[in-house]
Amino acid sequence: MEHIIIEGGNTRLQGEVVIEGAKNAVLPLLAATILAKDGQTILRNVPILSDVFTMNNVIRGLDIDVVFDENNKEITVDASNYILDKAPYEYVSQMRASIVVLGPILARCGHATVSMPGGCSIGSRPIDLHLKGLEAMGAKITQSGGDIIAKASKLQGANIYLDFPSVGATQNLMMAATLAEGKTVIENAAREPEIVDLALLLNKMGAIVKGAGTETLTIQGVNRLHGADHDVVQDRIEAGTFMVAAAMTNGDVLIKDAIWEHNRPLISKLREMGVEVTDEARGIRVKADTASLKPVTVKTLPHPGFPTDMQAQFTALMAVVDGESTMIETVFENRFQHLEEMRRMGLHSEILRETAMIHGGQGLQGATVMSTDLRASAALILSGLVAKGQTKVGKLTHLDRGYYQFNEKLVGLGATIKRVKGDA
Ligand code: UD1
């Protein structure tokens, strides 16, 4: 076990920070490599994260060749030989996102067995939309012994309306549809940049996917897909986390090559608070006089709304801004656990169902706190930067799922933070 120790209170983050490829893009991109019967697929700009190792293992479990060259941040996948149709429980159970292999395995093999994803600390996270969509495409789906078993000798194109623009369901169905007979139309599809990145790779592999980034996706099925070469899109959530960190610490930070368009909902709220955010040739600069910032109300929504994956970090910013801010979480229930931990640091807040009221600007003190999920871990570390005295953050397995060298990057910007062995 390891934990992070932060000496906070006087930190002013300054300088430049480099952002990795997006975790939430690379996981479905890896799932897409299953579809290629010919040649290798090379993914570049891959973040070195535990979730990526898990997905590599899920795919290796299908007897597919996966080589991760960490020095060059490249993964080469060769799925051109016969593949297995059962995703191993051992790895699937470690990460809910591995459910996105269901569509590609089914499309390629005509049958697929994938373990039901387990519970999750940020909400119940059902997969009904994934399954209903596959059924609409002709799959017969049963459950047995904790597994989902899907069968369809050839998937059929279908018109699918998603009750909610689920990111994972859109990805699963989009990948399944690439090898279906005829045309599939997915309405009320998710519009996240990671969906666009997946469509880009699929099209390079020989698929015909149109409309990615809009509410309606059209996929014309083809007979066979081949390997391709693809750069993973930049991680907008990692970029956003550093933007918030700069705003909280009176900072002046250039987030190198950050993509303005992908971070627009966050930038809009930062500016409403009074944070200076500028689009420079080399990236996005975030500068703030933290003491002069104003409270705001934020509601999380599917893209292009404010991302739920920035909610925890943004509440940490709200905690240092004088006055009452409101955060409404509409995407996941039970995603305010970090606020309970931050209470141990002196945060004043009230939670009523999906709404959290943050009474900011009352000062945070260092404390020992535990990460409750991936983004909560970042929120707690950012809080530690501004809290007076020492903060210890434990349960770093959450952090390692989604942030590469987080403490090193913060040190590079002037923070006093180290990672040490042992429990917090
Ligand atoms: C993805 C992201 C996650 C992000 C989330 C929302 C990855 C690996 N993860 O997760 O970081 O927080 O998008 O932006 O990309 N839902 C259903 N039925 C379904 C599927 C989803 O009711 O079949 C509900 C969920 O319970 C949740 C909402 O839809 O309330 C959003 O979930 P979804 O967009 O599917 O998120 P994920 O793909 O799991």
Side-chain angles (χ1 to χ4, degrees):
M1 283 299 225
E2 291 184 329
H3 65 280
I4 275 178
I5 303 179
I6 308 144
E7 302 297 338
N10 294 315
T11 308
R12 177 160 192 244
L13 296 183
Q14 279 177 295
E16 299 185 358
V17 64
V18 174
I19 303 302
E20 313 297 314
K23 168 186 87 79
N24 285 353
V26 76
L27 300 177
L29 294 175
L30 280 165
T33 66
I34 296 171
L35 294 161
K37 263 194 179 168
D38 304 306
Q40 298 181 328
T41 302
I42 302 172
L43 300 179
R44 304 178 197 274
N45 193 31
V46 173
I48 303 172
L49 300 169
S50 61
D51 272 7
V52 175
F53 293 117
T54 304
M55 192 56 125
N56 283 346
N57 286 333
V58 170
I59 294 174
R60 284 190 187 111
L62 302 170
D63 250 2
I64 293 173
D65 223 34
V66 181
V67 178
F68 193 176
D69 172 357
E70 289 177 43
N71 289 329
N72 290 310
K73 298 187 176 173
E74 273 175 31
I75 297 182
T76 304
V77 182
D78 189 338
S80 58
N81 291 321
Y82 174 81
I83 72 164
L84 300 177
D85 63 359
K86 184 169 177 174
Y89 171 75
E90 185 189 353
Y91 297 112
V92 172
S93 59
Q94 285 175 22
M95 187 178 68
R96 287 192 45 87
S98 30
I99 190 66
V100 291
V101 300
L102 179 64
I105 301 176
L106 177 63
R108 165 124 185 218
C109 304
H111 32 89
T113 303
V114 178
S115 298
M116 273 296 270
C120 172
S121 62
I122 62 171
S124 59
R125 303 184 87 163
I127 53 160
D128 54 317
L129 300 172
H130 303 234
L131 302 184
K132 273 195 242 171
L134 291 175
E135 279 172 340
M137 295 169 74
K140 293 269 169 292
I141 296 181
T142 51
Q143 282 182 35
S144 161
D147 290 334
I148 299 162
I149 300 158
K151 288 185 186 159
S153 52
K154 181 81 180 165
L155 288 166
Q156 301 298 316
N159 286 336
I160 300 167
Y161 178 86
L162 294 177
D163 298 340
F164 184 89
S166 154
V167 175
T170 302
Q171 292 165 339
N172 231 336
L173 299 174
M174 190 169 142
M175 288 189 275
T178 57
L179 292 178
E181 184 79 50
K183 189 166 92 174
T184 299
V185 179
I186 307 174
E187 284 180 273
N188 200 26
R191 292 185 268 169
E192 271 68 1
E194 295 76 25
I195 300 282
V196 176
D197 208 37
L198 177 60
L200 276 173
L201 173 66
L202 290 170
N203 286 341
K204 286 181 196 169
M205 293 168 71
I208 306 170
V209 181
K210 292 189 179 146
T214 74
E215 283 167 14
T216 308
L217 276 171
T218 308
I219 305 113
Q220 182 64 50
V222 296
N223 281 332
R224 219 173 155 92
L225 293 176
H226 52 78
D229 198 313
H230 185 73
D231 276 332
V232 179
V233 70
Q234 202 200 48
D235 195 323
R236 66 195 163 101
I237 306 300
E238 188 195 7
T241 302
F242 282 101
M243 289 164 76
V244 166
M248 284 174 75
T249 57
N250 236 357
D252 180 353
V253 176
L254 179 78
I255 294 100
K256 283 177 79 180
D257 302 319
I259 304 166
W260 186 271
E261 198 52 40
H262 293 180
N263 286 290
R264 198 179 276 281
L266 170 65
I267 292 167
S268 153
K269 281 294 159 187
L270 287 171
R271 283 182 159 175
E272 190 183 329
M273 271 185 153
V275 179
E276 216 180 288
V277 190
T278 42
D279 196 5
E280 296 189 356
R282 295 191 309 119
I284 298 177
R285 182 172 297 279
V286 178
K287 223 168 149 180
D289 168 10
T290 312
S292 70
L293 299 182
K294 295 181 293 292
V296 292
T297 295
V298 174
K299 189 179 196 176
T300 66
L301 286 167
H303 193 77
F306 189 94
T308 174
D309 285 350
M310 280 306 301
Q311 181 258 102
Q313 304 90 309
F314 207 86
T315 56
L317 170 59
M318 288 170 159
V320 299
V321 172
D322 249 334
E324 312 241 319
S325 282
T326 306
M327 176 60 81
I328 307 162
E329 171 59 66
T330 73
V331 180
F332 290 110
E333 79 268 29
N334 202 23
R335 207 176 187 178
F336 284 137
Q337 292 169 60
H338 55 284
L339 294 179
E340 302 298 337
E341 289 298 300
M342 284 173 65
R343 221 171 274 213
R344 312 195 62 246
M345 303 175 77
L347 173 70
H348 295 261
S349 67
E350 286 129 38
I351 303 167
L352 186 62
R353 287 190 285 275
E354 77 280 11
T355 303
M357 295 286 300
I358 315 277
H359 309 288
Q362 305 195 22
L364 296 177
Q365 295 92 45
T368 298
V369 289
M370 292 296 152
S371 311
T372 48
D373 66 63
L374 165 56
R375 305 303 166 187
S377 64
L380 293 172
I381 293 169
L382 299 193
S383 300
L385 296 177
V386 294
K388 285 217 161 48
Q390 191 176 79
T391 296
K392 291 183 181 178
V393 182
K395 294 217 179 121
L396 299 182
T397 44
H398 293 296
L399 183 75
D400 296 338
R401 289 187 42 222
Y403 290 95
Y404 175 62
Q405 295 192 335
F406 195 50
N407 51 311
E408 286 88 341
K409 290 185 184 185
L410 287 170
V411 167
L413 294 172
T416 309
I417 169 171
K418 63 182 175 189
R419 189 165 168 143
V420 295
K421 292 214 179 314
D423 289 332

